[in-house]
């Protein structure tokens, strides 16, 4: 019997216990994949949206959380007059419960701004002007809400007519409800307020210098180049940290489960380990045997966990809470990280049992 056969024989000795241990690891890894995939998906959705619209700089007051705080819309006029700014427009964005949908992204876009330009009208039209009580729905938002052109929709205190269905070329744009800024301000009670200023800069402008000038002129607001919004936002960093922290709890449970399984295995196999030592196996080889068994359980648990996590993300993507809001991101990088974490869980969990097994003396083990 070779080394590999001994490893799998040890794992198969108690198939139910081994299976439950692998399942515990799988659940922990599935939590990692699901939570991190959701956080990463939201970040990717924001980046895609900014790129699709063609925004160079974003001004907001969102460093304290994921949702930005509203500020006086007059800030836009001051920023638009600054050197290097080609165009600046105001946006009011809220995440609201809209009719039967528990959460929708609703945008009040400054009328006539470039944020309307990227829409491809699939059905109907865009609002005639900023005074019209009308909305256009992204194609995913229309599916979630069950609305078509000509229907009415209730948004906060206002009732609006759906005049168009559009393709915005990004998940956030396609999952959003869009209306003129003035009408959304009136409906939501945020008259004269916005929470984003979207900027296009003139060619040759130093973006970093412009951001510093904007922040100096407008204390309390933060100006960030579009490509750095996700990486520098405290809100996104907090969401990422929370997803990993929550996943860590599940991983710790997996570590304890594997360690318990391997300790029980060592206790039950004292006779076998004693025979192997008597046959001339080195103590380091005994340690390697136990570590390989725990690492293989981690590997299997990791692969199964990635599959479970992918299924979870697929199911979540179809729910009203997520559909049209973000597209969960499960890339090869995250899958590989998850499997490596699972194997490390197995190895770390097996260190103490492996050390215990190497301390057995052949004579004492054979007596057991």
């Amino acid at each position: 019997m070779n080394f590999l056969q001994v490893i799998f024989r040890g794992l198969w000795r108690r198939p139910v216990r081994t299976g439950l241990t692998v399942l515990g690891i799988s659940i922990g890894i599935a939590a990692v994949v699901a939570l991190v995939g959701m956080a990463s998906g939201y970040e990717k959705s924001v980046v895609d949206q900014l790129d699709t619209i063609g925004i160079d700089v974003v001004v907001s007051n969102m460093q304290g959380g994921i949702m930005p705080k509203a500020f006086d819309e007059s800030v836009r006029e001051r920023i638009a007059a600054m050197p290097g700014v080609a165009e600046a427009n105001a946006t009011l964005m809220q995440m609201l419960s809209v009719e039967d949908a528990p959460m929708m992204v609703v945008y009040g876009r400054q009328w006539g701004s470039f944020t309307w330009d990227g829409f491809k009208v699939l059905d109907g039209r865009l609002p005639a002007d900023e005074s019209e009580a009308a909305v256009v729905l992204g194609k995913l938002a229309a599916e979630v809400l069950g609305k078509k052109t000509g229907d009415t929709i209730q948004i906060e205190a206002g009732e609006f007519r759906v005049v168009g269905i559009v393709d915005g070329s990004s998940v956030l744009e396609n999952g959003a409800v869009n209306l003129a800024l003035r009408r959304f301000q009136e409906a939501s009670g945020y008259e004269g307020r916005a929470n984003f200023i979207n900027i296009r800069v003139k060619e040759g402008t130093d973006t970093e210098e412009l951001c510093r000038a904007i922040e100096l002129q407008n204390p309390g607001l933060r100006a960030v180049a579009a490509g750095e919004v996700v990486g520098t936002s405290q809100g996104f960093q907090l969401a990422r940290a929370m997803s990993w922290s929550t996943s860590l709890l599940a991983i710790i449970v997996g570590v304890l489960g594997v360690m318990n399984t391997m300790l029980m295995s060592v206790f039950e196999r004292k006779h076998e380990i004693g025979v192997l030592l008597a046959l001339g196996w080195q103590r380091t080889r005994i340690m390697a045997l136990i570590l390989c068994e725990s690492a293989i359980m981690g590997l299997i648990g990791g692969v199964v966990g990635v599959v479970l996590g992918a299924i979870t993300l697929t199911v979540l993507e179809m729910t009203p809470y997520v559909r049209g809001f973000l597209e969960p991101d499960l890339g090869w990088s995250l899958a590989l990280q998850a499997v490596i974490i699972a194997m490390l869980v197995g190895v770390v969990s097996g260190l103490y049992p492996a050390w215990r097994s190497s301390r057995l003396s052949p004579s004492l083990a054979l007596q057991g």
Side-chain angles (χ1 to χ4, degrees), residues 95-148:
M95 295 181 187
L96 304 173
S97 172
V98 179
E99 296 191 352
D100 294 333
M103 183 177 293
M104 297 291 296
V105 178
V106 183
Y107 286 107
R109 303 173 186 262
Q110 183 177 329
W111 186 250
S113 70
F114 64 79
T115 57
W116 292 92
D117 296 342
F119 290 139
K120 177 183 178 182
V121 179
L122 302 177
D123 185 48
R125 59 177 175 82
L126 296 180
D129 53 48
E130 67 175 342
S131 64
E132 184 180 9
V135 302
V136 293
L137 304 178
K139 59 182 183 180
L140 291 179
E143 291 180 16
V144 171
L145 292 167
K147 298 290 184 179
K148 62 184 184 299

Side-chain angles (χ1 to χ4, degrees), residues 196-236:
F196 288 109
I197 303 296
N198 305 308
I199 300 172
R200 281 182 174 173
V201 302
K202 295 178 180 178
E203 187 175 351
T205 299
D206 186 328
T207 303
E208 291 186 5
E209 184 62 34
L210 176 61
C211 289
R212 285 193 292 268
I214 292 173
E215 292 178 352
L216 185 64
Q217 185 188 75
N218 302 279
L221 297 184
R222 189 178 184 204
V224 181
E228 300 175 4
V229 167
V230 169
T232 59
S233 169
Q234 292 182 13
F236 286 114

Side-chain angles (χ1 to χ4, degrees), residues 300-320:
I300 297 172
V303 173
V304 175
V306 168
V307 174
L308 290 177
I311 293 172
T312 302
L313 286 175
T314 301
V315 173
L316 287 173
E317 188 177 0
M318 303 305 297
T319 64

Side-chain angles (χ1 to χ4, degrees), residues 122-330:
L122 302 177
D123 185 48
R125 59 177 175 82
L126 296 180
D129 53 48
E130 67 175 342
S131 64
E132 184 180 9
V135 302
V136 293
L137 304 178
K139 59 182 183 180
L140 291 179
E143 291 180 16
V144 171
L145 292 167
K147 298 290 184 179
K148 62 184 184 299
T149 302
D151 291 344
T152 59
I153 186 172
Q154 186 76 29
I155 300 176
E156 297 292 77
E159 184 174 83
F160 301 85
R161 183 167 298 280
V162 179
V163 297
I165 310 296
V166 298
D167 181 357
S169 302
S170 74
V171 174
L172 274 177
E173 293 289 273
N174 286 332
V177 178
N178 306 277
L179 63 161
L181 176 61
R182 292 284 176 267
R183 297 314 304 257
F184 189 32
Q185 288 172 330
E186 293 168 1
S188 61
Y190 279 88
E191 286 89 346
R193 311 282 285 175
N195 51 17
F196 288 109
I197 303 296
N198 305 308
I199 300 172
R200 281 182 174 173
V201 302
K202 295 178 180 178
E203 187 175 351
T205 299
D206 186 328
T207 303
E208 291 186 5
E209 184 62 34
L210 176 61
C211 289
R212 285 193 292 268
I214 292 173
E215 292 178 352
L216 185 64
Q217 185 188 75
N218 302 279
L221 297 184
R222 189 178 184 204
V224 181
E228 300 175 4
V229 167
V230 169
T232 59
S233 169
Q234 292 182 13
F236 286 114
Q237 292 171 3
L238 177 61
R240 197 180 304 126
M242 289 180 63
S243 64
W244 278 107
S245 298
T246 305
S247 301
L248 182 61
L249 296 176
I251 292 171
I252 291 173
V253 173
V255 168
L256 296 176
V258 175
M259 185 177 296
N260 178 69
T261 296
M262 297 313 300
L263 280 171
M264 292 295 294
S265 177
V266 168
F267 178 77
E268 293 171 356
R269 295 162 64 190
K270 287 195 299 181
H271 180 79
E272 176 187 334
I273 293 171
V275 170
L276 293 174
L277 288 169
L279 290 175
W281 276 42
Q282 298 294 320
R283 296 187 183 276
T284 54
R285 195 177 188 197
I286 296 295
M287 291 184 65
L289 173 68
I290 302 301
L291 286 174
C292 285
E293 289 182 9
S294 58
I296 287 174
M297 279 198 292
L299 174 62
I300 297 172
V303 173
V304 175
V306 168
V307 174
L308 290 177
I311 293 172
T312 302
L313 286 175
T314 301
V315 173
L316 287 173
E317 188 177 0
M318 303 305 297
T319 64
Y321 292 93
V322 175
R323 185 166 173 77
F325 177 58
L326 61 88
E327 186 175 24
D329 182 29
L330 175 59

